[in-house]
Structure formats: C-alpha cells, structure tokens
Amino acid sequence: MLKIALIGCGAIGSSVLELLHGDADVAVQSVVVPYTTDAINATVQRWAPTAKIASAVGQGAYAPDLVVECAGHSAIGEHVVPALQRGVPAVVASVGALSEDGMFAALEAAARQGKTQVQLLSGAIGAIDALAAARIGGLDEVVYTGRKPPGAWKGTPGEKECDLDSLKTAHRIFAGSAEQAAQLYPKNANVAATLALAGLGLQGTKVELYADPGVTENVHHVLARGAFGSFELTMRGKPLAANPKTSALTVYSAVRAIRNRAHAVSI
Ligand SMILES: NC(=O)c1ccc[n+]([C@@H]2O[C@H](COP(=O)([O-])OP(=O)(O)OC[C@H]3O[C@@H](n4cnc5c(N)ncnc54)[C@H](O)[C@@H]3O)[C@@H](O)[C@H]2O)c1
C-alpha cells in the first residue's frame, strides 16, 4: 500500500482523488492545502474520506511514501523541497516552475540530500519518453508549437500582439526560446518547460505560440530531430469532462505516475 500526501486540491488534485478512489494499492494519507474550503472538504469527504486535510506534509511516523504536487510554483519550495530533503520521493506537476532561476538546482540538491528522487510529470504533453531517450544519442533540434483559441491568451502579453477578439486567422504571438516563453507566459510554461528539460534545455528549445481562431482545443505540436532520427507529435488536449478547468491528460499522467509506484507492474 502506497501512502501519498497530495499537495493541492484544485482542478487537478480533486480529479486525481476521484480517479484514485477505490484503488486498493494507494492510500491518500493527507491533502495539503494552505487553507481549506467547503469544496475541498466535500471533495476529500467524497473521494478520500480517511485522508487528513493538513497544512504541511506529515513527518516521522506520519511521513508519506510519496508526495504528489498539483498545487503551483509556491508549493515546490514550501513542501516538495523539504520533503525531498527528509528522504520522501516526490512527483511534480508544476514543471513550469523549474524555469525559474535556481529552482531545478534546488530540487536536485534536495533529492540528493535526502537520497531520493523527484519525478517530473509529463503532464499535458506526450512523447517525453522518446525525447528523453533520444537526448542520449544527441538532439539537433526541438521545436514546440502551442496553439490555443484566442480567448485563452487573454491576460497574457499575447493581448498586445493582436486584437484577440477579432482574429480571423492564426496569429503568432511568440517565437523564442523555452526560457523566454516561461518568462513571458508563465501560466503556459508547463509543456515547454517539460519538453526543454527532457530535451535540449530551456535555451536550446524553440517555442512558437499561436492565437488561433481555428482551434477549440489546446493543440501541442513537437518536432524533434537528432541522431535517433526524427519525430513529430500533434496532441489535441481535451479538458477533463468532470472538470473543464484542467486538461484530462495532466490528471491521467499524475494518476499513472502514482499507480506505477504502487502496482506490481510499471508502464
Ligand atoms: N505539467 C503540465 O502539463 C500541467 C498542466 C496543467 C497544470 N499544471 C500545473 O499544475 C498545478 C495545479 O493546477 P490546477 O489547475 O489544479 O490549479 P488550481 O488553481 O485549480 O489548484 C491549485 C490547488 O493548490 C493549492 N495550493 C496553492 N498553493 C499551495 C501551496 N503553496 N501549498 C499547498 N497547496 C497549495 C490551492 O489551494 C488549490 O487547492 C499548476 O501549477 C499548474 O501550472 C501542469
């Protein structure tokens, strides 16, 4: 039985709880949030009634076997780094946070200190296994192109690039490195950062972002070339039916990572 501490109980965390419900190999020991709400109380009561709602990850006799972060950038420094230092392994959904200066090094140092490991979730993007394997033979180019409906770029610097409300054709709102993309579009940084960390790094990975009235879903395209050959991947991510605020694949990727640690066969 794998005892987990789930950090965050928003769009992703609550859906993870629902999907883990009934898995005899996983026990949600605690749900860690800065403060609770009626919605969080109801979700935990419904899907993980034996879990404690807490403001910190348990220690000593109460330490979990695995910390699962689905909370946001601040939770990494606040909960994931100290848990790793104490030897508790972790899986992280907020991979975009690792674009921040020193964050990747801090996680790595914490895991080393605790003689444990931190796993970065593939989240909303696929082919991370192929990309990370291809890197071993040498990569020449990785280009990520992200397309979203114009309205999805409201509140970002994309608003200054074009009139999002009247776009009739796709408009490129950003072209640059994954590092620059993370600085300008931090809320959209997860996929580019994941591809960068698996492949050519934040400076070496090219990113293009489009506001596209022709799409209704988030469309991710990856082109990678290197000694292995090349691949292209197009993903049209759907929101989770039970919770349209999050991408279905991100939730499934977190549940997969947990199950892979709990079940006898890992794939
Ligand atoms: N890797 C990917 O492809 C991918 C895709 C989507 C989202 N994400 C990331 O996953 C994270 C969660 O996304 P969401 O849609 O569930 O967000 P959300 O806002 O719906 O929920 C966040 C939850 O975390 C809690 N929280 C916030 N700060 C916390 C802290 N310091 N300690 C403990 N709990 C804290 C909040 O109370 C809330 O319950 C975000 O960082 C998001 O960027 C990653």
Side-chain angles (χ1 to χ4, degrees), residues 67-108:
V67 158
V68 180
E69 180 277 323
C70 328
H73 297 197
S74 65
I76 295 190
E78 218 170 295
H79 302 295
V80 177
V81 164
L84 288 169
Q85 287 169 335
R86 296 194 299 269
V88 180
V91 299
V92 165
S94 303
V95 180
L98 306 194
S99 316
E100 274 170 31
D101 243 8
M103 191 55 105
F104 184 89
L107 268 188
E108 194 178 25

Side-chain angles (χ1 to χ4, degrees), residues 64-246:
D65 300 320
L66 179 71
V67 158
V68 180
E69 180 277 323
C70 328
H73 297 197
S74 65
I76 295 190
E78 218 170 295
H79 302 295
V80 177
V81 164
L84 288 169
Q85 287 169 335
R86 296 194 299 269
V88 180
V91 299
V92 165
S94 303
V95 180
L98 306 194
S99 316
E100 274 170 31
D101 243 8
M103 191 55 105
F104 184 89
L107 268 188
E108 194 178 25
R112 254 183 219 285
Q113 185 183 331
K115 297 189 173 44
T116 187
Q117 270 193 330
V118 54
Q119 178 186 354
L120 310 181
L121 290 178
S122 51
I125 192 69
I128 293 301
D129 53 349
L131 185 62
R135 175 171 66 176
I136 290 164
L139 284 163
D140 298 322
E141 185 177 36
V142 180
V143 186
Y144 164 65
T145 307
R147 282 173 198 274
K148 291 186 180 187
W153 297 110
K154 290 215 165 139
T156 75
E159 275 183 330
K160 293 205 186 83
E161 299 294 324
C162 58
D163 179 4
L164 292 170
D165 288 325
S166 63
L167 265 192
K168 296 281 179 281
T169 55
H171 186 90
R172 193 174 75 180
I173 55 169
F174 173 82
S177 69
E179 189 175 44
Q180 293 162 332
Q183 280 157 8
L184 283 171
Y185 294 87
K187 291 203 172 129
N188 293 276
N190 289 305
V191 168
T194 307
L195 288 164
L197 293 170
L200 275 177
L202 288 163
Q203 285 161 13
T205 303
K206 297 175 191 158
V207 174
E208 295 196 6
L209 301 175
Y210 284 83
D212 188 344
V215 302
T216 49
E217 292 141 343
N218 293 345
V219 183
H220 306 290
H221 181 267
V222 184
L223 163 71
R225 290 190 302 105
F228 76 102
S230 64
F231 77 75
E232 280 187 64
L233 169 81
T234 303
M235 296 191 61
R236 294 179 183 84
K238 277 196 174 171
L240 197 72
N243 192 343
K245 281 198 338 200
T246 192

Side-chain angles (χ1 to χ4, degrees), residues 12-102:
I12 296 175
S14 55
S15 302
V16 166
L17 281 184
E18 179 175 351
L19 288 172
L20 288 177
H21 181 67
D23 189 324
D25 293 324
V26 181
V28 183
Q29 188 186 58
S30 62
V31 174
V32 178
V33 281
Y35 55 89
T36 193
T37 61
D38 289 348
I40 293 176
N41 291 340
T43 300
V44 174
Q45 186 54 40
R46 180 165 185 201
W47 301 119
T50 57
K52 241 179 68 182
I53 297 176
S55 57
V57 175
Q59 296 191 36
Y62 301 101
D65 300 320
L66 179 71
V67 158
V68 180
E69 180 277 323
C70 328
H73 297 197
S74 65
I76 295 190
E78 218 170 295
H79 302 295
V80 177
V81 164
L84 288 169
Q85 287 169 335
R86 296 194 299 269
V88 180
V91 299
V92 165
S94 303
V95 180
L98 306 194
S99 316
E100 274 170 31
D101 243 8

